[in-house]
Amino acid sequence: MNFDIALDELEELSKLSPDEHVLGRARTLQSFLATKVSEQKHCGEIRTIAGVDVSYFPHLDALVASAILLDAKTLKPLEESFVTGKSAFPYISGLFSLREAPFALKAVLGLKRKPDVLLVDSQGRAHERGFGLACHMGLRLSIPTIGVAKTPHRYGIDVSSLGNKAGSSIPMMHENGNVEG
């Protein structure tokens, strides 16, 4: 199966009721798509960076996705895009992209210029099946993408050991010994 067809199917699943068949198929597609993610260390000159986030407002049952494009050198905002709507898919751990991808994709596509790099407020390779929302966005948009999640999803990392110093880091080790982040 080619990854465009798999992505199309995964995105179609987000419109369905999350029964066991839908959830199982979504997980299978995520595992397959994880094998299609490239992890290049260099992607050429970076002139623009975009960030995308999706916020949920439960009292309104609404989502708002926003994307902002920045000049990579000055971090000056160049343009922004917002999308609102209601998600048909509930929050289910590990299947976050089914809920947020339709909105996040529209927000990034609403930018007039394609960014050189995309930062996504979500997991990427650190997802339990190696295919979080950041990977979904990167494959769909053909943009080098970095997941910038607030919490480690599967590594059992004690983030308190990071301390408060800017730039502190801890390697995220997969059970096979590879560093994934």
Side-chain angles (χ1 to χ4, degrees), residues 105-148:
L105 288 165
K106 285 180 188 172
V108 174
L109 291 170
L111 298 170
K112 293 177 185 137
R113 292 175 273 185
K114 184 175 181 177
D116 296 315
V117 174
L118 179 62
L119 303 177
V120 180
D121 182 19
S122 185
Q123 301 293 340
R125 297 298 278 170
H127 178 272
E128 63 192 80
R129 282 174 291 283
F131 193 78
L133 177 60
C135 293
H136 187 134
M137 301 281 296
L139 271 184
R140 174 55 80 198
L141 299 171
S142 298
I143 298 172
T145 303
I146 300 168
V148 187

Side-chain angles (χ1 to χ4, degrees), residues 9-17 22 87-90 97-99 102:
E9 183 179 348
L10 186 62
E11 290 168 6
E12 285 299 312
L13 291 175
S14 72
K15 300 173 187 172
L16 302 176
S17 295
V22 168
S87 178
F89 206 85
S97 69
L98 274 75
R99 180 180 181 82

Side-chain angles (χ1 to χ4, degrees), residues 7-71:
L7 273 172
D8 290 345
E9 183 179 348
L10 186 62
E11 290 168 6
E12 285 299 312
L13 291 175
S14 72
K15 300 173 187 172
L16 302 176
S17 295
D19 62 25
E20 287 308 310
H21 171 74
V22 168
L23 299 178
R25 185 65 183 149
R27 290 178 181 116
T28 298
L29 288 167
Q30 284 180 327
S31 294
F32 167 75
L33 289 164
T35 68
K36 305 303 176 191
V37 175
S38 170
E39 295 184 26
Q40 293 179 329
K41 301 291 183 201
H42 186 273
C43 57
E45 185 178 358
I46 299 172
R47 292 185 219 81
T48 59
I49 302 167
V52 64
D53 191 12
V54 180
S55 295
Y56 178 62
F57 298 91
H59 62 287
L60 300 173
D61 190 30
L63 293 168
V64 177
S66 60
I68 185 163
L69 185 72
L70 305 174
D71 179 281

